[in-house]
Amino acid sequence: VHLLHATNVGHTALWVIFTLFTIALVGVLFLTVRAERRNRYFYGISSLVLTIAMVSYLAMSTGLGVYFVPIHNHGVQGSLHHFYRQLYWARYIDWLFTTPLLLLSLASLAGLSPASTLAVILSDVFMIVTGLFSAITPARWAAGERATWGWFGVSSFAFLVIWGILFTNGLKAANYRPRNTKGLFTLLAAGTFLVWMAYPIVFGLSEGANKITVDAEIIAYGVLDVIAKIGFTYVLLFLHTHDETGPWTL
Ligand code: RET
């Protein structure tokens, strides 16, 4: 049996990222207290996002959320070993809650209708759940590998639906918002789209095709999580103004 798992490098990275989320959360809580009461909508959503990420990284740092998926031993000719790759499934629980919250912030900025907002969020939940199916599908034989990439394709389709709605209905809705709100939505939506595009790439290289080590996977997802959550939050909280929370101020 061959286990591909994190080493001290990965474990240290998990602790470092946990610390970054903790500091970022304390910063947002501090800013929340100073913000006007009627202006606290985005602060609340952001605090939730950072709290969930912090807890998920604490879980991974302390060894929780770990599972071994049977994979194919490509390139190891004639090997009788069975290969297993470590999977941090705690990520998917984190993403299940934080990605809808990040999309809720974007939808609220744009002033997207409740129906379109719900469609975006449900597509996102579908994307994360089918992405988890892809990750946990045993890929030791060809049929397993096909199933893994099949779920990956299904999840990627949902990804396109999310951004299709945000870049059509979202941009249209944003036209009715103050000019700086539209600008902030466009900036954040474009930036978020680019950062989110990198997730399926990292997934393909790690859980998918086993081309990079578990340590490299931890660092790659870590960098992305920091940009997608901490970067997003601070750009949003520093650039938005009080009239950007739309009708849902409380
Ligand atoms: C998976 C694998 C299958 C295909 C696709 C994926 C997309 C994941 C995304 C995750 C975003 C996470 C964020 C987390 C924290 O801030 C599930 C990797 C399309 C887009 C933003």
Side-chain angles (χ1 to χ4, degrees):
V1 170
H2 237 81
L3 298 181
L4 309 174
H5 55 75
T7 68
N8 280 333
V9 174
H11 294 144
T12 306
L14 288 172
W15 279 112
V16 169
I17 301 159
F18 162 74
T19 308
L20 292 178
F21 276 110
T22 309
I23 294 169
L25 174 62
V26 170
V28 169
L29 293 179
F30 182 74
L31 292 172
T32 306
V33 177
R34 301 197 337 165
E36 274 176 80
R37 210 173 271 276
R38 60 186 288 251
N39 193 10
R40 284 182 182 164
Y41 177 81
F42 288 126
Y43 293 80
I45 299 179
S46 303
S47 309
L48 255 178
V49 167
L50 297 178
T51 303
I52 294 166
M54 183 187 75
V55 169
S56 145
Y57 271 97
L58 179 62
M60 293 190 283
S61 300
T62 54
L64 204 85
V66 167
Y67 172 73
F68 281 91
V69 182
I71 59 167
H72 191 68
N73 53 348
H74 284 293
V76 192
Q77 299 257 322
S79 170
L80 293 175
H81 290 301
H82 275 174
F83 280 68
Y84 293 83
R85 186 184 168 101
Q86 182 175 4
L87 170 71
Y88 285 97
W89 52 265
R91 292 188 190 292
Y92 294 84
I93 300 183
D94 167 330
W95 295 350
L96 190 60
F97 294 100
T98 56
T99 53
L101 289 167
L102 292 167
L103 292 171
L104 179 62
S105 287
L106 280 179
S108 305
L109 255 190
L112 198 61
S113 71
S116 295
T117 303
L118 187 65
V120 167
I121 288 174
L122 290 181
S123 303
D124 178 76
V125 167
F126 184 84
M127 174 187 80
I128 300 299
V129 171
T130 53
L132 175 63
F133 290 172
S134 176
I136 63 176
T137 299
R140 180 155 297 146
W141 298 284
E145 282 194 292
R146 280 198 298 275
T148 299
W149 293 111
W151 286 119
F152 181 89
V154 170
S155 178
S156 301
F157 177 77
F159 179 94
L160 294 178
V161 171
I162 296 169
W163 294 100
I165 298 174
L166 283 176
F167 285 128
T168 55
N169 298 12
L171 275 180
K172 242 183 271 166
N175 277 327
Y176 297 96
R177 314 283 281 144
R179 185 207 289 270
N180 57 337
T181 307
K182 192 193 175 196
L184 180 56
F185 169 74
T186 310
L187 172 79
L188 274 176
T192 302
F193 172 70
L194 290 178
V195 176
W196 284 34
M197 279 277 291
Y199 280 86
I201 296 172
V202 172
F203 181 100
L205 293 173
S206 53
E207 284 111 321
N210 189 36
K211 295 286 187 213
I212 62 174
T213 63
V214 175
D215 285 343
E217 170 196 330
I218 290 173
I219 293 169
Y221 276 141
V223 169
L224 293 179
D225 282 349
V226 165
I227 301 172
K229 296 196 179 88
I230 300 180
F232 179 97
T233 293
Y234 279 86
V235 170
L236 173 65
L237 295 187
F238 280 123
L239 295 187
H240 86 111
T241 56
H242 71 276
D243 52 19
E244 281 166 345
T245 46
W248 307 289
T249 301
L250 288 176

